[in-house]
Amino acid sequence: MDNIRKAEESIIPQEVTEGFEIAGTIVRVEKLGNGHINKTVRITYNDGGVLSEYVFQRINTKVFKMPRELMDNVVRVTEHIRRKTALAGGDAERATIHFIKAKDGGYLYIDGSGEYWRAYTFLGRCTSYEKVERVEDFEKAGIALGRFQKLLSDFPADKLYETIPNFHNTVSRVNDFKKIVAADPAGRKSGCEEEIRFVLDRIGYAGIVLDAIAAGEVPVRVTHNDTKLNNVLMDDVTGDVLCLIDLDTVMPGSALYDFGDSIRFGASSAAEDEPDLSLVNFVPELYDAYKKGYLAEVGDVLTEKEIELLPLSSILLTYECGMRFLGDYIDGDNYFSISRPGHNLDRARTQFKLVSDMEKYFGINA
Ligand code: ADP
Ligand code: GN1
Ligand code: MG
């Protein structure tokens, strides 16, 4: 076995790379990304002197329990984006990721250990950022989401599978949270009473978007559901936004989930897991920039109620994510991958700091 094969085998089984319709020989294998859920690998192939790069991803089936339906969703949504971009004269190949067929004709390869893998084109000359470096870039991230939602505004949301039921159903998330707190399986509850109280004091937020949907004021649309900044690709050459990636949670949902989740992650002065809370602040300038870019693209599609709820959705999604981090901490860290003890608690605390800041800034209370 040569060195490349050895490096590859430690990251991704050989049968997986051989399971997809990709020509050429492998010349480089490396891990990619900072996601909390999937395992992502970039592989470079040399086909007759032409180098091309692909992403291989192992789907975490503890989280994504319907991998076939998930692939069906993402393949149809990316085809739609490509088709509409091409019709508008745009660069369809860089407007979204392009899934590669497995040798059995589907889009999944199941390895000997029962793990599910898929492969797609790596979009070169682009970067995903962990933190906003310039305000203008966050405005561009807003453009990316607005464009994504607009391109999919004529895609029938009810034709997508709900691959993780109730993903942004904050009411059901609160119920899950209460159950974890009551069970306290890792004996951690006593060390985070203040944070638990923070969640329980704000249960009033949980039904806001669900109620607006039930009242017919907010429509169900095709949504991404995980719009944090590191899922936005920026073109290194033009400096413009390329597209949204990490499409696994594309499902029927509310546009507000996507807006709020972007603000949660990007309109902060610090990383999602910054342990020093004095460094964590909501940055109104970033909120305004994102909203400007977003509305410039999709403002004409959204309802009045959706636009009115943008500030509340930012609080709601930050609250929900903080509650999920805290719930996972109390549960013993079974969902989000961690790289240090207390990592999920640190993450929860940053989210709650941002919620407090936003409540003050927008003058909103649960
Ligand atoms: P995760 O579930 O781990 O967040 P992602 O699909 O977001 O997985 O991929 C992780 C990282 O890999 C991204 O943040 C991005 O930096 C990079 N990446 C993933 N897919 C591509 C792609 N097609 N082109 C360029 N970079 C990519
Ligand atoms: C997870 O996979 P990743 O890291 O992009 C999570 C999101 C959270 C996010 C918090 C399927 O996203 O919902 O907002 O972590 N994805 C899933 O960083 O649960
Ligand atoms: Mg990601």
Side-chain angles (χ1 to χ4, degrees), residues 31-42 53-55 57-58 64 96-98 118 120-130 226 228-233 242-243 245-248:
K31 284 193 189 156
L32 206 59
N34 290 315
H36 302 334
I37 311 285
N38 290 325
K39 176 174 178 176
T40 311
V41 182
R42 169 165 57 173
E53 295 173 302
Y54 295 87
V55 177
Q57 231 169 12
R58 188 182 69 197
F64 297 105
T96 188
I97 52 180
H98 194 151
R118 40 54 192 303
Y120 52 90
T121 49
F122 180 85
L123 299 168
R125 294 178 280 107
C126 61
T127 306
S128 66
Y129 292 94
E130 290 299 323
D226 185 8
K228 57 184 176 178
L229 187 69
N230 60 18
N231 289 329
V232 179
L233 292 184
L242 257 190
C243 60
I245 54 167
D246 207 348
L247 304 170
D248 295 338

Side-chain angles (χ1 to χ4, degrees), residues 34-38 63-64 164 167-168 173 224-228 230-231 246 248-249 261 264-265 272 317 320-321 324-325 335-337 347 351:
N34 290 315
H36 302 334
I37 311 285
N38 290 325
V63 171
F64 297 105
I164 305 184
F167 190 60
H168 282 310
R173 295 266 182 204
H224 181 289
N225 293 307
D226 185 8
T227 50
K228 57 184 176 178
N230 60 18
N231 289 329
D246 207 348
D248 295 338
T249 45
D261 198 34
R264 164 192 92 69
F265 190 90
E272 186 183 69
L317 271 287
E320 181 192 278
C321 196
R324 292 174 64 199
F325 287 143
Y335 187 92
F336 298 106
S337 34
R347 288 172 176 148
Q351 303 306 289

